[in-house]
Amino acid sequence: AKLGVELKYQNVSDYLEESIFGDHECNLYDIVKNARENAIMARNYLPQDAFTAIIELYQLFKENENSLNQIDYNFIDIVLNIILRIWGAMHQFLQYQSSYDFIRLGRLVEKLDLSIRLNEQTEFSLLLIDDIDKIALRLNSAYQKEKLSGLTYSKMLDRVNDKINMIVTDTI
């Protein structure tokens, strides 16, 4: 509900079905499909291990789309292990490349977005913004750090997105 999606479910199995394959914009299957499409388009920029794991994750979701009885703790465990493999491969591959900062920046912005949507403490959001500022300055020496305390969450996120758009546009 905090993410703006009302899931209707009767039990744990029904919740998993709705969150993974439900008819809403936050279902995990569509997110994985998009990740697969992005991986195919960016194939030349991904390490083989990450690409393979993304395809494997998509296949797992696709195979279980019509067999919802298979969605259980074991399925979730396999999914989490594949996701960890993807992040591990990306981290290892990008650690010594400048593009690693872009990946880290994206992860921090996603974490900030989720923090704001879940109405977590302002202090946590400001710490994330401080980390975003540090990376953004490394990516673009003309980056201007701005004090965002005192803003509403939505205005804070709008300002961060404006900054990110400036960095990505100016750097690329």
Side-chain angles (χ1 to χ4, degrees), residues 32 35-36 38-40 42-61 63 78-79 81-87 89-90:
V32 169
R36 176 185 170 265
N38 290 337
I40 291 169
R43 176 68 191 99
N44 293 336
Y45 304 103
L46 293 175
Q48 179 65 37
D49 293 347
F51 180 78
T52 302
I54 292 167
I55 300 303
E56 181 182 341
L57 183 63
Y58 168 75
Q59 284 300 123
L60 180 66
F61 275 76
E63 289 167 5
I78 293 168
V79 167
N81 282 326
I82 295 171
I83 291 170
L84 288 174
R85 282 182 26 223
I86 294 167
W87 279 118
M90 293 302 296

Side-chain angles (χ1 to χ4, degrees), residues 102-120:
F102 280 106
I103 299 295
R104 288 186 53 219
L105 187 63
R107 287 175 67 186
L108 285 169
V109 170
E110 289 299 322
K111 197 181 276 188
L112 176 65
D113 179 58
L114 191 59
S115 169
I116 287 172
R117 288 176 192 258
L118 297 178
N119 295 318
E120 295 196 3

Side-chain angles (χ1 to χ4, degrees), residues 20-155:
I20 296 172
F21 298 108
D23 186 22
H24 54 86
E25 64 275 2
C26 291
N27 79 63
L28 293 176
Y29 186 41
D30 284 345
I31 292 169
V32 169
K33 279 192 235 179
N34 291 335
R36 176 185 170 265
E37 292 303 314
N38 290 337
I40 291 169
M41 293 185 74
R43 176 68 191 99
N44 293 336
Y45 304 103
L46 293 175
Q48 179 65 37
D49 293 347
F51 180 78
T52 302
I54 292 167
I55 300 303
E56 181 182 341
L57 183 63
Y58 168 75
Q59 284 300 123
L60 180 66
F61 275 76
K62 185 177 179 182
E63 289 167 5
N64 285 281
E65 180 180 18
N66 297 315
S67 55
L68 299 174
N69 295 336
Q70 302 299 319
I71 307 299
D72 60 6
Y73 72 92
N74 190 45
F75 175 84
I76 300 299
D77 190 47
I78 293 168
V79 167
L80 289 175
N81 282 326
I82 295 171
I83 291 170
L84 288 174
R85 282 182 26 223
I86 294 167
W87 279 118
M90 293 302 296
H91 177 77
Q92 185 178 8
F93 177 72
L94 296 173
Q95 188 168 9
Y96 300 105
Q97 298 182 26
S98 62
S99 53
Y100 179 62
D101 282 334
F102 280 106
I103 299 295
R104 288 186 53 219
L105 187 63
R107 287 175 67 186
L108 285 169
V109 170
E110 289 299 322
K111 197 181 276 188
L112 176 65
D113 179 58
L114 191 59
S115 169
I116 287 172
R117 288 176 192 258
L118 297 178
N119 295 318
E120 295 196 3
Q121 295 179 351
T122 306
E123 293 82 21
F124 180 70
S125 297
L126 292 173
L127 286 172
L128 290 172
I129 290 171
D130 190 47
D131 289 342
I132 288 169
D133 285 337
K134 289 174 187 169
I135 293 172
L137 190 57
R138 277 199 309 269
L139 290 170
N140 184 343
S141 59
Y143 177 81
Q144 297 290 318
K145 185 176 177 178
E146 177 183 2
K147 187 173 181 173
L148 299 181
S149 59
L151 295 177
T152 64
Y153 282 127
S154 62
K155 288 196 182 289

